[in-house]
Every structure is written in structure tokens, then in C-alpha cells.
Amino acid sequence: MTQQLTEQQKELIEKIGVFHEQNGMQPLMGRILGLLLVLDDAEATFDEIIDYLKVSKSAVSTALNFMQIKKQVAYRTKPGERKRYFYLTIKHWERDVEKELLHIVEIKNLFKDVIAVRGDKKPEVNQSIHELCLFLEYLNTRIPVLFENFKKMLNKPQG
Amino acid sequence: MTQQLTEQQKELIEKIGVFHEQNGMQPLMGRILGLLLVLDDAEATFDEIIDYLKVSKSAVSTALNFMQIKKQVAYRTKPGERKRYFYLTIKHWERDVEKELLHIVEIKNLFKDVIAVRGDKKPEVNQSIHELCLFLEYLNTRIPVLFENFKKMLNKPQG
DNA sequence: AAGCCAGTTCACTTTTTGGTGAACTAAAAA
DNA sequence: TTTTTAGTTCACCAAAAAGTGAACTGGCTT
């Protein structure tokens, strides 16, 4: 029998799950993220996940495979054991946050298409869309700088 | 009869719709966004939306109300006419982009909760989460600066 | 070679979502 | 006052998403 989760842990898993659900992630995946964050050893086997979250094998299998493709989750095995210990690839949080930032910028291409298609009946509107595109382009150039400067700040604090 | 959309316009509406759908927006709302972006006069009445997008009154009513609450859409009336001309509040794109950036930062609070709950069995994991929080805090402070510097750049180009 | 372990696959069920149509409402027009 | 216009509400329906359970697979163990 797998160890019990505290009430606190359960609540937090749920909150994390709901947060990710609202961001378009499938419910179970959000809870697996929460579970692996909240567990002291930051990993769990297939059967432990089933046990903790009270879901079926197939649901867990599907969710984990998807999350592995998306590089959110990986697994290791312990010598002599066959079962997989799944864990979050949280050490690559930079890559993930960068992806989120780039995603904001992504819509720029659609706005460019919009500009190409629009007539000039409403110049103020065209101007707004144009400015937005300029900003997104600017933001795009600043993303790497944000990470660089953050690292600098970490090394020499109060800089 | 409402004027016909060109193939190009239809395609672009669909692309914009799909993009927003994948970001958790309801399908019809995404297409309304696309429609109002693509139309030369950047506005449409209730019945025109029904006509262009081939959907029911109730669907449009629900979608528009929601989008008005979210401040994505507003309407005006023309003197002497009763019907509403709905348009995108695109001139407030700064507010919207800022909201998206803040949304990335939002998860910081959950990670803080995670840190509070986690034991110290896996210090590397705790360290990663901690660094992530620091970065999100840093990003949070940089968001207003991004907009400020963009505006400066607009005023004196190549600066 | 027989059985087991750790997961996978797939047909099916349940739940959620998105949308429809008809009846309704409030304000303006006739 | 009745009708029309412009939109709203709500009970219902269809489709899509999410999850279940049972049968299956492929590598290890005995």
C-alpha cells in the first residue's frame, strides 16, 4: 500500500491540477504534475500514481506517454527493479518558461496576415494591429536578454 | 443579405479561430475575434455575425456577452439605429498582452505553496523550483519596463 | 516453456462542452 | 396599444473529451 497524502498535499495537487486544466491541459495530466511536485521524493511509479490519484491504468499510461513526448516528464529505473520512476523535468524550467513567452509572440504571424488582408477603411485599427506586431517583435528580441540578465543578477546579487 | 467573405478572409478567420481554440478559448469566440479582425470596417452587428459565421442567435449572444465581460469586445450604436455594432477593443492591446505576461507569472504562488509543503529529501528539486520562483519574480518586475522601453524605442527609432 | 511484471491498447461508457431552436423580454416604432 | 426589432434565456441535443476495464504484449524469472 502506497503512503497516504496529507490533506495539504491533496489540496495543492488539486489547485495545481485546476490551474493547468484552465490552461488547456487535460485534467489528469495537471494532477500528475501536481503529484510529482508535491511528493517528497519528487518521483512516483506507475502504480503509485494510480494509487494516489485513484485513476485507471490506461488513463495514467496515456497521460504519461503524452507528457513524455512533451518533455514534461521523464523516468529512470533503479538497479535491479523493472518499474519506472517518473519525475518532472523541472530542472529545465527555463526551456518551459521560454516556450510560454515565445507562445505569446507566436500570434504575430496571424496579425501580419490580418494586416495583409485588411483594407484601409479603418486606419486606427490597422495602426493598432501594426503597433501590436511591433511590440511582439520587440518582445521576441528581449526574451533571451531576460534570461541572461536574470542569471547575471543571480551571480552578483543587488547588482 | 450580408456581403460575402473572400476565401482569404474565411481561411484567416479559421486560422485565428483554431489558434485561440488551442489556447482554451471557445470555438465560436475565436472565430468572432477572427471575423472582427478581418472585416474591413472592423465591426459587425449581431445578425451579421450570425450570417457570416452560420451560427445561432443564442450562440452569438452567449459568446458576445462573455467577450464583453472579458473586455475583448465592445459595441457602439449608430444614431437612429437600434442595433449594436460590435468591435474588438484592439486599441487596448497593451493591457491584453500584459495580462498574458502576468498570467505566466501567476503560477509562482502555487510553486511557493509547493516549496512550503515539500520536505528536503530532494534539494536539487527544491532548488530548481526556488530558482523558477526567483525568475518569475524577476520577470514580474520587468514587464512594465518592457512596455516603457518599447514606447521609448517607438519615439526615437534606432535608439 | 510457463508465469509474472509493468505497462499498452482499444472498444466502450461517462462527462463535459458547444451549440440549437423556440419561447420570452424590453425598448422603440407604428 | 399593437407590432417590430434586437437580443436573451433555457430546455434540449450532438459531438468531443476524458476515463474505464479487459484483453494483450514483450521482456524477465523460474
Side-chain angles (χ1 to χ4, degrees), chain B residues 77-101:
Chain B
T77 49
K78 294 184 180 177
E81 280 188 47
R82 257 212 279 172
K83 50 185 186 267
R84 297 167 187 177
Y85 288 79
F86 295 93
Y87 60 91
L88 297 182
T89 58
I90 184 103
K91 68 176 167 199
H92 298 124
W93 60 263
E94 282 199 33
R95 187 201 52 194
D96 298 342
V97 177
E98 190 180 22
K99 214 179 288 170
E100 289 184 71
L101 287 166

Side-chain angles (χ1 to χ4, degrees), chain A residues 118-158:
Chain A
R118 289 187 57 73
D120 43 12
K121 221 168 181 175
K122 289 281 162 75
E124 343 77 75
V125 173
N126 294 4
Q127 175 62 15
S128 287
I129 300 173
H130 176 65
E131 262 181 32
L132 172 50
C133 284
L134 285 180
F135 179 77
L136 294 178
E137 252 150 39
Y138 172 70
L139 177 56
N140 199 33
T141 68
R142 300 311 291 171
I143 291 172
V145 181
L146 283 167
F147 288 99
E148 284 163 27
N149 287 346
F150 171 67
K151 269 178 237 162
K152 278 182 203 161
M153 206 191 65
L154 270 194
N155 294 336
K156 41 167 181 170
Q158 349 290 6

Side-chain angles (χ1 to χ4, degrees), chain A residues 41 43-45 48 75-86, chain B residues 121-122:
Chain A
D41 17 66
E43 60 183 16
T45 65
E48 283 168 356
Y75 68 82
R76 63 175 185 127
T77 50
K78 295 185 181 178
E81 282 187 45
R82 259 211 278 172
K83 49 187 186 271
R84 298 167 186 175
Y85 288 80
F86 295 93
Chain B
K121 222 167 181 176
K122 288 283 162 76

